[in-house]
Amino acid sequence: MLYDLIQETTAYIQSRITIRPTVGVILGSGLGSLADMIEQPVAIPYSDIPNFPVSTVEGHAGNLIFGQLNGKDTVLLNGRFHYYEGYNMQEVTFPVRIMKALGVETLIVSNAAGGMNKDFRVGDIMLIRDHINLFPEHPLRGRNDSRLGTRFPDMSEPYDHTLLQRAHEIARQQHIDVQEGVYIGLQGPTFETRAEYYWLHVIGGDAVGMSTVPEVIVAMHGGGMKVFAASIITDLGIREELNVITHEEVLEAANNAAPKLAKIVSELVGTL
Ligand code: HPA
């Protein structure tokens, strides 16, 4: 049972580390440099951790890093599990269950995303206000284990309003321009057709990507976790030119914007 797997994995991790993280960070494509923010890092490769899936995608390193982020005990997932890689939803969201079991109260999630909002440019940071779930499988589908959370979780404010406002304030103080918007999560791995980008915009999306939504849903399941999330806009879905999007361009744009997002995240963690 999932509950027993969580206990086993958590016990193993606790046998290897001395800190008790209250902050969890999930890094997105090309944002691996955010891992450099962690002081006195102790890395545990996924392959050492019982029940942990192993990451396969280029640009994703694959270890849990423990240490201090701006003075706060933090666990950082360096290389996330995407549904398009073939993992099931339980595997995709397992690290969030583990973070919760380790005592994480604030979850910070980053991703690379395609922009649909006409005011967005490549390299923009979009703070996520809300999401639309278009994944074909729900991470909470199946028998509910009430030890892990409630059957019908409330989703009225998955992205903590206070953290969002604080991030805006930090960005202003640091002279970093940020956007805000709605993230649509879907399975990929294809980028969207022009008609799909248009449709995603019409239904209320500002950015689209292949992650984040399942993890945030599971963070809401247990209650008590506050979430802050941000996208780096790595390409524009609604555009005039007939250019194509490549994974390399996505990684490059994310890499370039990563230091700015890292600054916002570390300052935000300092306020917790
Ligand atoms: N669509 C979906 N996922 C993405 C995109 C996109 O345009 N860019 C980066 N991840």
Side-chain angles (χ1 to χ4, degrees), residues 112-115 186 190-192 197 208-210 232 234-237 245 250:
L186 39 65
T190 44
F191 294 116
E192 288 64 40
Y197 281 120
V208 56
M210 307 170 194
I232 300 219
T234 55
D235 53 271
L236 298 173
I245 302 166
V250 166

Side-chain angles (χ1 to χ4, degrees), residues 99-216:
M99 286 180 175
K100 168 105 198 184
L102 288 169
V104 166
E105 293 161 1
T106 306
L107 180 66
I108 295 173
V109 188
S110 63
N111 60 56
M116 276 98 62
N117 185 317
K118 293 204 173 70
D119 295 335
F120 290 5
R121 296 289 166 267
V122 169
D124 277 0
I125 294 170
M126 183 190 89
L127 311 185
I128 300 180
R129 176 176 66 240
D130 206 347
H131 75 221
I132 295 174
N133 179 15
L134 293 186
F135 278 89
E137 186 191 340
H138 199 284
L140 304 182
R141 178 171 171 270
R143 230 190 76 173
N144 188 61
D145 187 336
S146 58
R147 291 171 296 183
L148 297 176
T150 175
R151 172 73 289 185
F152 301 108
D154 177 72
M155 289 296 282
S156 57
E157 193 186 325
Y159 303 88
D160 187 75
H161 188 70
T162 307
L163 292 178
L164 180 62
Q165 292 316 314
R166 241 185 254 166
H168 274 294
E169 242 162 71
I170 290 164
R172 253 194 313 275
Q173 284 160 8
Q174 301 288 334
H175 307 290
I176 299 169
D177 287 332
V178 291
Q179 308 277 7
E180 185 188 303
V182 173
Y183 176 89
I184 298 185
L186 39 65
Q187 68 172 317
T190 44
F191 294 116
E192 288 64 40
T193 65
R194 287 164 167 262
E196 286 165 344
Y197 281 120
Y198 179 73
W199 168 67
L200 292 167
H201 181 57
V202 167
I203 67 169
D206 296 293
V208 56
M210 307 170 194
S211 68
T212 302
V213 167
E215 291 122 314
V216 172

Side-chain angles (χ1 to χ4, degrees), residues 12 165 206 239 259 265:
Y12 171 81
Q165 292 316 314
D206 296 293
R239 56 197 194 276
V265 165

